[in-house]
Amino acid sequence: MFDIETVRADFPVLNQQIYGRQLIYLDNAATSQKPLAVISKIKEVYSLYNSNIHRSTSKLAAICTEEYERARNTVREFINAKYTHEIVFTSGTTAGINMIAFSFGEKFVNKGDEIVVCESEHHSNIVPWQLMCNRKGAVLKVLPFDDSGELRLDLLDELLTERTRLLCVAQASNVLGTVNPLDKIVEKTHSKGVYVLVDGAQGIQHLKTDVRLADIDFYVFSGHKAYGPTGTGVLYGKESLLEQLPPWQGGGDMVKNVSFAKTTYAELPLKFEAGTSNYTGAIALAEALNYLSNKGLDDIHSYERDLTDYALKNIAQIPEITIYGTSKQKVGIASFLVGGAHHSDMGEILDKMGIAVRTGRLCADPAIHHYGITGVIRASWTFYNTKNEIDKLCEGIEKAKKMLN
Ligand code: PMP
């Protein structure tokens, strides 16, 4: 049973006062808080069996390696990948996208080829492709969104040409909250022989994710937004594709044999895990996914959907508010401006009330510029937030608005 008080007790950071007020943490799209299970797991690794994985011969190294590989299997199960070797541990979404931008670019992209990204993407799903296009002489094309925040899928047909190699799309937008219709996008894109990379940074923690069912070619996410540690992440790639890609970084653990005449690379997934990886983080990330599974993904998702309906309805009723992103399918994100108030002033006042939100351009300049504005206030909630906290947010916004007027 999903009991909110038990859930909140699992996240120690929530239970504190900020400027003398109970903390209301509504900045979950920037990073999520961590349950005790994850915090304890990190302590367990460092207290009991820390030792470098895949290398040392000691008992400790054997335990640590086993935990790390078990973590890989936990991720595989969580996203329903076919093979554990399709799961590469990274330092986050940004690292995963840069890796594919390099390796996929080397293998599949030639001068004059095209990559498609969406107007609503985070900078980490734009800039790596710009870098790659500059390097390879390829062309970056953009799929726009409409004012409600939905992608203009009607333009996809003409955007995908015989020169398109890859389409890059977020599972959910970090500005607009829109849940993008991956099934339609993948079907259309594959029908043109084009691969799809999905940025799951705002999706994995809120939506049931099945990379096989959705037939996604590459899927990336960050551990820290999914209740796991910072500096962790996952890249999933179909075996048939990852096999063909050259490594991104060279170093220890990613090679079979090294000589000055010829170096051979390790099998998947180690080919893409050069150097000592953040194995403690990966083990604790798996613990975060176990935490979600144990709580019950269906219960978590239905609690979040109910909270999102409540939040969006109530926030929209604040006089003079404009919400950016009003599509039907949204994760728990509201980006908004109120009256003439500047976003950073409002963010500061809310902070003084103990309400943590994010303000500014949210690392997604094109999405912000779409509306001709300079930034927004973003409140983002998850399954440990409550309707009462949303009420406090709405009251806080109204109070801040009066102060700023
Ligand atoms: N994509 C999206 C949609 C995001 O929201 C974020 C983080 N704000 C990223 C990518 C980048 O994630 P990270 O900084 O964890 O690599």
Side-chain angles (χ1 to χ4, degrees), residues 29-30 92-95 122 124 170 172-174 199 201-202 222 224-225 358:
T93 304
T94 304
H122 187 278
S124 28
S173 157
N174 67 309
D199 170 354
Q202 300 292 346
S222 297
H224 72 98
K225 292 181 199 281
R358 180 158 173 206

Side-chain angles (χ1 to χ4, degrees), residues 273-294:
E273 292 184 358
T276 297
S277 62
N278 181 3
Y279 53 82
T280 308
I283 292 167
L285 166 56
E287 198 60 26
L289 301 182
N290 284 332
Y291 175 87
L292 295 176
S293 302
N294 292 339

Side-chain angles (χ1 to χ4, degrees), residues 120-137:
S120 44
E121 295 307 306
H122 187 278
H123 295 161
S124 28
N125 207 15
I126 298 176
V127 184
W129 305 114
Q130 289 177 320
L131 290 168
M132 186 261 264
C133 286
N134 286 343
R135 204 176 67 243
K136 303 297 291 191

Side-chain angles (χ1 to χ4, degrees), residues 129-173:
W129 305 114
Q130 289 177 320
L131 290 168
M132 186 261 264
C133 286
N134 286 343
R135 204 176 67 243
K136 303 297 291 191
V139 181
L140 192 69
K141 293 170 90 180
V142 182
L143 178 67
F145 63 85
D146 65 22
D147 289 349
S148 77
E150 291 189 8
L151 290 173
R152 292 281 312 274
L153 296 189
D154 55 308
L155 300 177
L156 200 50
D157 244 339
E158 65 183 88
L159 212 54
L160 297 169
T161 73
E162 74 282 358
R163 296 307 302 263
T164 316
R165 296 290 164 262
L166 185 70
L167 177 138
C168 309
V169 58
Q171 193 174 8
S173 157

Side-chain angles (χ1 to χ4, degrees), residues 274-325:
T276 297
S277 62
N278 181 3
Y279 53 82
T280 308
I283 292 167
L285 166 56
E287 198 60 26
L289 301 182
N290 284 332
Y291 175 87
L292 295 176
S293 302
N294 292 339
K295 281 280 166 232
L297 282 182
D298 289 344
D299 287 349
I300 288 176
H301 293 159
S302 77
Y303 179 90
E304 284 189 13
R305 270 196 305 274
D306 182 49
L307 187 61
T308 297
D309 288 347
Y310 181 84
L312 293 176
K313 196 172 106 230
N314 283 279
I315 295 170
Q317 279 167 10
I318 296 170
E320 290 182 81
I321 199 160
T322 307
I323 296 182
Y324 299 93

